[in-house]
Amino acid sequence: MKTGRIIRSLSGYYDIQIENSDIQRARARGEFRKSGQKPLVGDFVDFESENDEGLIWKIHDRVNALVRPPIANIDVAVIVTALKEPNFAPNLLDRQLVALEAAHVTPLIYFTKVDLLDSIELEQAKKVAEQYEKIGYRVMLFNPESPEVSWTDLKVYLKDQVSVFMGQTGAGKSTLLNHLSPALGLETGIVSKALSRGKHTTRQVTLIDVDGALIADTPGFSSYEVFDFPVEDLDDYFPELADIRNQCRFRGCLHLNEPGCAVKESVTVGDIAQSRYNSYKAFYELIKSQKPKYSTDNRNF
């Protein structure tokens, strides 16, 4: 029995990299489908292989997993965020951060389009970066005067880690990936063309080694329409709210209309950014208005 990490999936086959960097191909046992399990890129698995094709017998426990793209055991998600064209959208950034917090994935905020800012806008952008750093997030502000340094700094941070990239359309995500490695753009193009199905394209994830960093070749994902957790858990995923919620007068405070709320007081004095609190309230209303999801799996009937 061998153990390795899945680095690519395609049409029911999985390419598995073992310790000596050798890559072997295998299928998943039928029992996985019966139990509702499915191997994901990033999974560590036990498998047997003969004559260029093997069989996966066991999926190791996952640290985390994402649905879009389907990948497991991610160390960091790089949120590529434009400061202009399109204009910076704190609500979208906060939505991505909350979703990653809920999935137990470490985010890195990478601000782009700095070269489009005037001096006043640049100072405001630095304040925004400092605001997120104060919360505890890792932030990188692209330096147009030394682009190679910015890309090198990102490569160094990602070394020996599994990463995915995300960001709204036009934020510069694909450009950044191709600067990190031309192979990423090449692989993405090949997969897209091979799997195109009219207007709908199935994106298969592949982990590519870029100077010791494993980077998913998918362009990632840009939005979250549904938060899949109870509304009472929302403040768990705002670190600055979670840090002080025990100071609220009432246990279980939702930080909306309750008296003696430490969160609202912190917003008033500027310790918590108004934009972050606005996002919290917007997400609260979003979760409250979500319709319950019901399983369509016939095995449940």
Side-chain angles (χ1 to χ4, degrees):
M1 193 75 69
K2 305 173 185 177
T3 299
R5 186 201 323 249
I6 297 175
I7 63 168
R8 183 183 300 107
S9 69
L10 183 63
S11 302
Y13 287 94
Y14 301 91
D15 288 344
I16 305 169
Q17 187 171 50
I18 55 181
E19 286 187 359
N20 62 3
S21 296
D22 185 28
I23 297 175
Q24 300 184 16
R25 180 160 290 184
R27 283 183 175 273
R29 296 172 62 211
E31 284 75 5
F32 287 124
R33 184 182 304 173
K34 294 178 183 177
S35 63
Q37 288 184 291
K38 182 180 180 179
L40 297 177
V41 169
D43 271 332
F44 289 95
V45 296
D46 294 337
F47 70 104
E48 292 180 329
S49 63
E50 291 184 8
N51 300 323
D52 298 326
E53 184 173 326
L55 204 59
I56 296 174
W57 285 87
K58 177 184 177 182
I59 302 172
H60 292 205
D61 290 340
R62 294 167 179 158
V63 174
N64 53 39
L66 295 174
V67 175
R68 293 182 302 156
I71 185 171
N73 301 314
I74 313 104
D75 296 308
V76 60
V78 180
I79 309 175
V80 183
T81 305
L83 292 166
K84 198 169 187 177
E85 295 183 12
N87 290 333
F88 173 57
N91 182 280
L92 175 59
L93 175 56
D94 292 338
R95 182 182 292 232
Q96 293 167 327
L97 288 169
V98 167
L100 292 174
E101 291 278 0
H104 307 292
V105 177
T106 299
L108 182 153
I109 305 169
Y110 192 95
F111 286 114
T112 62
K113 308 293 186 76
V114 178
D115 54 312
L116 301 181
L117 305 180
D118 60 31
S119 58
I120 296 176
E121 292 170 330
L122 179 58
E123 288 306 309
Q124 182 59 37
K126 291 179 179 178
K127 290 179 180 178
V128 170
E130 290 171 359
Q131 168 191 313
Y132 284 95
E133 287 178 333
K134 179 182 176 183
I135 295 169
Y137 292 117
R138 180 67 179 261
V139 177
M140 290 189 179
L141 197 66
F142 177 74
N143 184 354
E145 296 180 357
S146 304
E148 295 293 340
V149 173
S150 294
W151 300 325
T152 299
D153 287 346
L154 182 58
K155 278 186 180 182
V156 169
Y157 179 79
L158 297 179
K159 187 175 176 60
D160 299 324
Q161 300 193 82
V162 175
S163 64
V164 294
F165 283 64
M166 57 196 292
Q168 67 189 122
T169 301
K173 183 175 51 195
S174 297
T175 300
L176 175 59
L177 284 169
N178 286 328
H179 277 302
L180 294 178
S181 172
L184 290 167
L186 176 62
E187 291 288 336
T188 299
I190 290 173
V191 172
S192 298
K193 183 176 180 180
L195 297 177
S196 178
R197 300 289 185 270
K199 292 184 179 180
H200 301 283
T201 301
T202 301
R203 305 312 303 261
Q204 298 292 332
V205 180
T206 299
L207 290 176
I208 298 177
D209 191 314
V210 179
D211 296 333
L214 285 176
I215 301 178
D217 77 340
T218 171
F221 39 102
S222 60
S223 65
Y224 296 87
E225 297 182 359
V226 177
F227 290 127
D228 191 19
F229 52 79
V231 70
E232 293 80 11
D233 294 347
L234 179 59
D235 62 357
D236 287 347
Y237 309 125
F238 281 80
E240 69 271 46
L241 273 63
D243 284 346
I244 65 170
R245 62 188 173 188
N246 289 338
Q247 300 174 29
C248 293
R249 181 185 301 176
F250 299 106
R251 180 178 297 179
C253 180
L254 295 174
H255 323 303
L256 298 171
N257 301 311
E258 301 89 341
C261 174
V263 168
K264 290 191 294 181
E265 181 179 345
S266 292
V267 174
T268 300
V269 300
D271 289 340
I272 291 178
Q274 183 68 53
S275 63
R276 289 279 289 173
Y277 183 62
N278 290 345
S279 292
Y280 171 83
K281 291 192 295 182
F283 301 160
Y284 180 90
E285 293 300 326
L286 176 64
I287 297 171
K288 289 287 287 186
S289 65
Q290 286 176 180
K291 294 180 180 179
K293 294 185 295 182
Y294 300 99
S295 173
T296 57
D297 190 336
N298 292 330
R299 289 175 297 170
N300 292 335
F301 294 95

